[in-house]
Amino acid sequence: MKKLMTMTRQFRDDENGAAMVEYTVLLGIITVAVIATVVLVGTWVAGRWTALNSALVAAA
């Protein structure tokens, strides 16, 4: 238990640990933005594809 407490204190006091947390949060934000963009673009493309398909079927 004492070893765990010592490791926790070292991690808390280490500035690299703080930087790692900041980079992890930034990576999470970027990941959410990329996923949202892919979903939005996918929805837009699906709508355009459906409209094109409907226009081609109506013209035939």
Side-chain angles (χ1 to χ4, degrees):
M1 183 70 177
K2 186 175 181 177
K3 184 177 180 180
L4 178 62
M5 293 300 291
T6 303
M7 287 175 54
T8 305
R9 283 189 197 107
Q10 286 174 346
F11 184 72
R12 181 194 64 196
D13 296 337
D14 186 13
E15 291 185 18
N16 291 332
M20 183 176 64
V21 170
E22 292 170 359
Y23 285 128
T24 303
V25 169
L26 183 61
L27 180 63
I29 291 170
I30 291 171
T31 302
V32 168
V34 167
I35 290 171
T37 302
V38 167
V39 168
L40 289 173
V41 169
T43 303
W44 179 79
V45 168
R48 296 296 233 169
W49 186 260
T50 303
L52 175 63
N53 189 25
S54 297
L56 290 175
V57 168

